[in-house]
Amino acid sequence: MTDTRPPIAMLAELTHRCPLACPYCSNPLDLARQEQELDTDTWARVFAQAADLGVLQLHLSGGEPASRRDLEPLVTAARDAGLYTNLITSGIGLTERRLQALDAAGLDHVQLSLQGTDATMADTIGGYRGGFDRKMKVAEWIGTIGFPLTLNAVLHRRNLHQLPRAIEMAVEMGARRIEVATVQFHGWALRNRDAMMPTREQAREADAIVAEARARLKGTLVIDYVPADYHSDYPKRCMGGWGSTGLVVAPDGQVMPCHAASTIPSLTFQNVRDTALRDIWYDGPAFNAYRGTGWMQEPCASCERKTVDFGGCRCQAMAIVGDPAATDPVCIKSPHRDALTAQADAHAAASADLVYRIAPGKPVPEPAD
Amino acid sequence: MDPDAIPFLPRGVRLHHDRVRDAWVLLAPERAVSLDPVAHAVLSEVDGTRSLRQITAALAARYDAPAEEITKDSSGFFKALHDRRFLEVRP
């Protein structure tokens, strides 16, 4: 495609290993094992290729990126490549000394996840006892060093009532931003819809809380908000349009247009071990599959919003409708919207135990239903 | 904005020349803001020591433009950056 522009952001999933076991983890069910992970030098080469391709923002994520012993040299390599380097972490695995080393390596920004606003909630959701207290310690060290901080609060039926406190905590920690992210049902979260789907009332209340806090905290705290997907009228503008602004590199070097793209069985992915990132971005079959609007069916093809939300999320169309080229069923124009509404309400009214994410290499548990 | 206030870029916000697109951008936490030549000229004057008054005077002299207009535009631009926490101000 000749009108494809360079990507702005790259998500580097350094590892799928993680001390936490969040039931909404966005990693795939088929997790990469440690021995499949790219080594330090290969990541450094990928970072340089990304910068040459036009990437400006690098997000170091996982799993838990601090589970990589070479995180510090990876940050050095990213900064040497000229990338703005962001660490997306639960905080577990970081010590004051490691944070100082990351500071010396040039780390630009830290995004710290929040599973709950108290130890009982956070440790239950994260499946890791002591995690909350440790995270609060890490937040203190981040503040002392002076890293700009974003708090990332993932919200769902069990903890949405904690949203006001999460916003307060962000202010207390001196965070400049908070991401208020209602769980998106991909990956492990898809198995936890009965346990985590927010109610419609919760979703409306969260809208109001965010609107009020945005006005009150203008100039103090920026609030980025991901509303409850299933209760919206229009789908999310997923990835800003497929293959248009960002790319994801999985721990084993597989390159994807979004972190959930491996759930679309018809796609073929390429790997940075043997193909240049530039070739994958511009010519890769997975990137060209849903780029632009040419792939669209009705009602997307003739919709005035087709370049607003690009038909929504391909992975969600796959997961719910079984066709990755269908209109995201969240859209009120989708013929599947009524069924989704009934399904969302049923999930929200259900009760189920949490199905936790497992460690790479372990057998995947069956869902409760 | 107080004309004697001193704007500065906080840690984690920096000007960056994007060599691939041959353009200036402001890099901030998880954001990249494209800068047009005017925005870049204004931000290039932000050095953490000079006040808004000094910055607009310098711009007015350099571009031979009315100081009042430049003050209005720069204040609006700084305010927008401040609201997004890309710029801080000290009195």
Side-chain angles (χ1 to χ4, degrees):
Chain A
M1 288 188 123
T2 50
D3 58 351
T4 301
R5 286 184 290 190
I8 293 164
M10 183 167 87
L11 180 72
E13 292 179 339
L14 299 178
T15 178
H16 279 156
R17 290 172 288 140
C18 183
L20 302 193
C22 302
Y24 49 70
C25 182
S26 62
N27 287 164
L29 300 182
D30 184 18
L31 296 160
R33 298 161 188 254
Q34 184 169 2
E35 60 271 23
Q36 296 174 293
E37 293 174 7
L38 299 181
D39 62 17
T40 317
D41 290 345
T42 308
W43 275 119
R45 181 167 57 78
V46 173
F47 296 161
Q49 288 185 4
D52 287 343
L53 184 54
V55 169
L56 298 170
Q57 292 271 348
L58 175 67
H59 308 297
L60 299 176
S61 180
E64 171 51 62
S67 297
R68 291 274 308 214
R69 285 164 183 251
D70 58 352
L71 181 60
E72 296 85 341
L74 288 171
V75 168
T76 301
R79 286 305 309 271
D80 285 349
L83 298 168
Y84 189 100
T85 307
N86 171 31
L87 179 67
I88 300 177
T89 180
S90 68
I92 309 303
L94 293 173
T95 59
E96 188 169 22
R97 181 179 292 201
R98 263 196 113 179
L99 281 162
Q100 286 162 349
L102 291 168
D103 183 24
L107 181 66
D108 285 295
H109 171 248
V110 179
Q111 184 190 119
L112 188 66
S113 63
L114 194 71
Q115 287 75 28
T117 58
D118 57 55
T120 307
M121 178 67 74
D123 294 355
T124 300
I125 299 300
Y128 185 80
R129 192 179 298 173
F132 180 78
D133 290 345
R134 182 67 185 180
K135 189 189 300 287
M136 292 305 105
K137 201 74 207 157
V138 170
E140 257 179 63
W141 295 327
I142 289 168
T144 305
I145 292 171
F147 286 119
L149 172 67
T150 292
L151 202 59
N152 178 10
V154 182
L155 299 167
H156 42 80
R157 187 166 80 235
R158 298 187 179 218
N159 69 357
L160 255 165
H161 62 285
Q162 296 188 331
L163 172 55
R165 177 64 193 139
I167 293 170
E168 255 175 37
M169 284 173 72
V171 175
E172 289 166 11
M173 287 177 184
R176 294 183 202 166
R177 289 172 69 232
I178 184 170
E179 284 188 22
V180 174
T182 316
V183 163
Q184 301 292 299
F185 292 96
H186 302 289
W188 293 83
L190 206 55
R191 309 204 140 196
N192 280 292
R193 287 182 293 185
D194 280 345
M196 307 191 106
M197 181 73 64
T199 64
R200 190 177 307 276
E201 294 69 34
Q202 278 183 312
R204 295 292 162 260
E205 196 183 342
D207 290 349
I209 291 168
V210 167
E212 184 279 329
R214 273 182 174 155
R216 178 167 48 86
L217 297 171
K218 195 171 183 181
T220 300
L221 185 71
V222 175
I223 304 178
D224 284 348
Y225 179 43
V226 180
D229 199 21
Y230 285 32
H231 297 309
S232 299
D233 287 343
Y234 292 108
K236 54 186 176 257
R237 181 185 161 85
C238 201
M239 298 302 288
W242 186 273
S244 71
T245 58
L247 68 170
V248 178
V249 183
D252 62 357
Q254 188 160 281
V255 187
M256 301 181 291
C258 81
H259 59 259
S262 61
T263 59
I264 300 178
S266 54
L267 294 178
T268 306
F269 302 104
Q270 294 163 290
N271 197 295
V272 290
R273 292 184 202 267
D274 49 42
T275 309
L277 206 56
R278 169 177 298 275
D279 295 338
I280 298 175
W281 174 257
Y282 285 105
D283 304 322
F287 281 83
N288 282 318
Y290 304 110
R291 209 169 232 158
T293 56
W295 55 272
M296 287 178 178
Q297 309 169 1
E298 292 299 341
C300 290
S302 61
C303 181
E304 73 285 359
R305 292 178 58 88
K306 70 177 175 183
T307 55
V308 175
D309 50 37
F310 294 96
C313 173
R314 298 303 88 229
C315 305
Q316 188 144 281
M318 179 70 220
I320 296 175
V321 185
D323 175 6
T327 299
D328 187 327
V330 164
C331 184
I332 50 170
K333 297 184 179 183
S334 163
H336 303 280
R337 173 67 234 201
D338 289 347
L340 183 73
T341 301
Q343 196 183 342
D345 290 342
H347 286 308
S351 88
D353 291 338
L354 297 171
V355 178
Y356 287 96
R357 197 199 100 143
I358 45 85
K362 299 271 169 56
V364 178
E366 288 304 311
D369 58 1
Chain B
M1 189 174 155
D2 174 3
D4 291 317
I6 298 167
F8 67 98
L9 297 180
R11 177 169 175 173
V13 182
R14 59 174 188 265
L15 280 173
H16 175 82
H17 183 257
D18 178 346
R19 61 188 159 89
V20 172
R21 298 168 188 83
D22 192 22
W24 284 90
V25 290
L26 189 65
L27 293 181
E30 304 185 46
R31 290 288 182 276
V33 182
S34 308
L35 299 174
D36 63 23
V38 175
H40 176 241
V42 173
L43 276 179
S44 298
E45 298 290 331
V46 172
D47 60 4
T49 65
R50 289 183 303 159
S51 66
L52 174 64
R53 193 193 305 279
Q54 289 168 314
I55 288 169
T56 50
L59 287 166
R62 177 170 317 162
Y63 296 99
D64 196 20
E68 196 177 315
E69 200 172 301
I70 289 195
T71 304
K72 189 166 148 265
D73 291 350
S74 307
S75 292
F77 180 48
F78 287 154
K79 169 83 167 59
L81 292 177
H82 182 265
D83 284 348
R84 298 177 73 184
R85 299 236 36 198
F86 296 164
L87 182 98
E88 311 268 306
V89 179
R90 65 176 140 253

